[in-house]
Amino acid sequence: MKSLSEPYELREGVPSVDDFRRLRTEAGLSDKDPEAVAVALPHTWYGVVLHHEGRPIGMGRIIGDGGTAFQVVDICVHPAHQGLGLGKHIMAALTEELERRAPATAYVSLIADGPARFLYEKFGFADTATHDSVGMYRLMGADPRT
């Protein structure tokens, strides 16, 4: 993959709580409670933050138990910088780290929203339904019976 060039820089780590929330909402993802974000970010197994002229404009994280299960989360790029292949750089960094450190038997999952699935397919992710699996979710705070 072609390397990033100025004025973009991809750095290992996680954004601040405020930057995390800003990046999510600017990219059209749901906002998260600041206290929950403050608890979550230090538990990141591996993360990257994409900077443009020193300002965070994208990110991606891997969470998990470090051995058997991992999930790719919070992949986003500010809309003004989308369409430039920057999401590929974020995913490449995350998958390279998984390939380097995760055991061969680890299960890595993610939830793809809309056309993002095409990006993830380029990195070896497949629709779970084709493997007799169904991805499921539960949003805490919502009544599970409705």
Side-chain angles (χ1 to χ4, degrees):
M1 167 172 281
K2 185 179 169 187
S3 64
L4 276 173
S5 58
E6 290 286 335
Y8 295 101
E9 181 184 8
L10 193 63
R11 302 178 196 160
E12 287 185 13
V14 295
S16 69
V17 170
D18 289 341
D19 283 337
F20 176 91
R21 295 180 67 218
R22 177 185 56 78
L23 290 170
R24 283 188 58 90
T25 57
E26 288 175 347
L29 302 176
S30 62
D31 193 8
K32 299 294 181 185
D33 179 78
E35 290 81 18
V37 175
V39 170
L41 290 178
H43 294 286
T44 300
W45 184 78
Y46 182 74
V48 294
V49 181
L50 178 65
H51 292 80
H52 176 259
E53 297 177 346
R55 182 171 194 249
I57 55 100
M59 67 178 169
R61 297 189 312 132
I62 301 169
I63 59 174
D65 62 17
T68 65
F70 299 86
Q71 186 172 23
V72 175
V73 296
D74 303 321
I75 306 295
C76 61
V77 174
H78 187 281
H81 302 272
Q82 291 176 2
L84 303 174
L86 299 170
K88 289 179 189 173
H89 286 283
I90 292 170
M91 278 303 295
L94 297 179
T95 55
E96 286 170 12
E97 192 67 12
L98 283 163
E99 290 167 357
R100 189 175 76 77
R101 291 180 37 209
T105 56
Y107 187 85
V108 182
S109 62
L110 59 80
I111 296 176
D113 294 329
R117 71 175 301 136
F118 301 113
L119 169 64
Y120 303 136
E121 287 172 349
K122 293 176 182 176
F123 291 91
F125 288 87
D127 188 331
T128 59
T130 62
H131 299 282
D132 282 336
S133 294
V134 175
M136 300 178 78
Y137 77 98
R138 177 177 171 193
L139 183 59
M140 299 311 295
D143 185 345
R145 297 166 288 174
T146 58

